[in-house]
Structure formats: C-alpha cells, structure tokens
Amino acid sequence: QDLDSDAVGEDKAGSSESMVESVEQQQPARTKMAGAWSFLNCPTKRDIAPKRRRLALDKPIPDFAALVVMDFEWTADNRQKMVPCAEIIQFPAVIVRFDGIHAPSGLLKDTFDSFVKPKFNPILTEFSKQLCAIPQEDVDKAPHLEDVISNFLVWLQQHGLVLPDGSKDEHTVGRWCFATWSDADIGGTLVRQLEEYGIGLPACFSDWVDLKQLFQRHYKHGPKGGLQ
C-alpha cells in the first residue's frame, strides 16, 4: 500500500508540473527592462492595447416620429451682461415628421412663431436689435413669456404632441423630442428665465436633441454659422 501511494503521489506531482509548464507556454513571454528598472517586466502588446469603453453617446439614437425644432432669440449686449438674465424675445418652432406619412420626412406648413415682451429689460439694446433684426415695437406689443408658452402648448396639443397638462403625448404621433442648436436655447435661456420669473418648466421640456453636437460627431468638425 505504501508503494502504491508513493507512485500515485509521483504521478500527481508529474501531472502538476506538466500543467504549470503548459500554462507558462500559453502566456506571452515577458522580457526584463534594462538598467535600474531591471526588476520590472516590459509591457506586452496586450498591456498597452487601447481599452474599448462603452459610452452613453455610443448607444444608438431611438427612432423619432417627429422633432420640434426651436431657435430662440434673446436679449443681449456686447458691453455688459444682461441682469438678472437674458430674456427670450422671439419664440419660433417648426415640426419635422419622420413617421412615413410625410415620406421620408417632411416639414409641416403650420408653424409657431411669437415675439415675446421681456420684463427685466424691456428696452432692447442696439446690439440686440442689430443682432436679432427685431425692432423695439415688435416686442412692445408682444405677450409675456408665460402667455407665449401657454399658446405654444395649445399648438403642440393640436398636433397631438402634448397632453392638456403639458406632458408629452407619445401615443398619438409617436416618440418625439425638441431639437435646438446647442443647449443654450432650452437648457440655458429658457430654464434660467423661468426660474427668475418663478414659473415652472412644462414637463414636455424634460429633454431635447442638441443638433450642433450631432453635427460635430457626424462630420468630425465644428459647424460654420448657426441653425438654418
């Protein structure tokens, strides 16, 4: 029995040694670095290969049935900052459909466009009038922002895009979203102005597509000019 157990032990040892040799042969050979760093191994190609990471922008963009494209104009001055905030003075929007009815896509003839009367700085600067090509009399007789937004939500509801409470209706038309040229229109100006006015942001403005960023990603360079 003792001889048999010794033989079994030798067989196991031999098997373990062969397994170690097999694993070592599969691993890439590493060479030692020269000089003072000789205690370190040189990196292999696998060590320095770039790592592929999944980012949120890598995810495919869901299909939209429609986009509501917006491009606000707001008060500005080339000499000083607008205090307490810039205010929207023109509120335009168009609807682009991608649902196959207006194949492959189509711009609806019915558009929304309204001038807006600012509260904090009702007198436009010369810079604003030249930049936006909006005369003072157009904003003087215009409704305030809260009334414009109310009219805008009614317009969206007529096209089956929002519910009476201002939230998105994605059952009538399908999935849709706002689209702007950068985040400055909704994420910057509109949100800040409503905060200063003490007015809540309608639920449908919860997200939007940044067309400027998509342009840069697709063409690999920045655009020239603004939204046309």
Side-chain angles (χ1 to χ4, degrees):
Q1 291 180 349
D2 292 340
L3 291 174
D4 291 341
S5 12
D6 290 342
V8 171
E10 290 175 0
D11 290 343
K12 288 183 177 181
S15 176
S16 300
E17 290 175 359
S18 61
M19 289 177 63
V20 171
E21 291 175 357
S22 177
V23 171
E24 289 178 346
Q25 290 173 359
Q26 294 176 5
Q27 293 179 346
R30 289 179 176 269
T31 58
K32 294 291 185 179
M33 298 182 69
W37 301 99
S38 58
F39 62 92
L40 295 176
N41 290 323
C42 292
T44 64
K45 291 183 178 180
R46 183 177 180 182
D47 293 330
I48 62 177
K51 301 296 188 296
R52 173 63 175 163
R53 296 188 301 168
R54 291 289 297 177
L55 302 176
L57 291 177
D58 292 334
K59 297 180 180 179
I61 299 174
D63 291 334
F64 287 111
L67 286 178
V68 179
V69 184
M70 312 188 74
D71 187 20
F72 300 145
E73 301 291 349
W74 54 79
T75 57
D77 195 353
N78 58 346
R79 293 176 297 178
Q80 59 185 359
K81 183 179 180 181
M82 304 306 298
V83 178
C85 67
E87 297 171 277
I88 296 170
I89 54 177
Q90 187 175 14
F91 195 111
V94 298
I95 300 175
V96 182
R97 296 283 290 270
F98 306 99
D99 52 10
I101 300 175
H102 309 79
S105 65
L107 178 66
L108 299 193
K109 293 182 179 180
D110 185 23
T111 64
F112 183 90
D113 194 2
S114 176
F115 291 113
V116 187
K117 186 175 184 178
K119 293 182 179 181
F120 296 131
N121 296 282
I123 306 301
L124 301 181
T125 64
E126 288 300 319
F127 178 76
S128 278
K129 288 187 284 188
Q130 293 178 10
L131 179 66
C132 306
I134 298 176
Q136 183 67 48
E137 52 267 27
D138 284 344
V139 299
D140 286 341
K141 59 186 180 183
H144 289 296
L145 181 62
E146 53 266 38
D147 297 322
V148 174
I149 290 179
S150 179
N151 296 335
F152 177 62
L153 293 178
V154 170
W155 180 74
L156 290 177
Q157 189 176 352
Q158 291 172 348
H159 288 281
L161 297 176
V162 300
L163 299 172
D165 63 356
S167 61
K168 285 186 177 182
D169 178 2
E170 296 190 333
H171 299 287
T172 303
V173 172
R175 192 171 188 273
W176 69 275
C177 195
F178 291 111
T180 61
W181 192 251
S182 86
D183 289 336
D185 294 82
I186 297 176
T189 308
L190 180 62
V191 171
R192 175 69 188 282
Q193 186 175 350
L194 290 179
E195 287 177 350
E196 292 291 343
Y197 284 7
I199 302 173
L201 182 71
C204 59
F205 286 102
S206 59
D207 53 11
W208 59 90
V209 175
D210 184 344
L211 296 176
K212 185 176 182 180
Q213 186 182 59
L214 292 180
F215 183 99
Q216 292 173 331
R217 287 177 54 197
H218 181 77
Y219 293 104
K220 311 303 180 185
H221 64 80
K224 295 180 181 180
L227 182 64
Q228 300 294 323

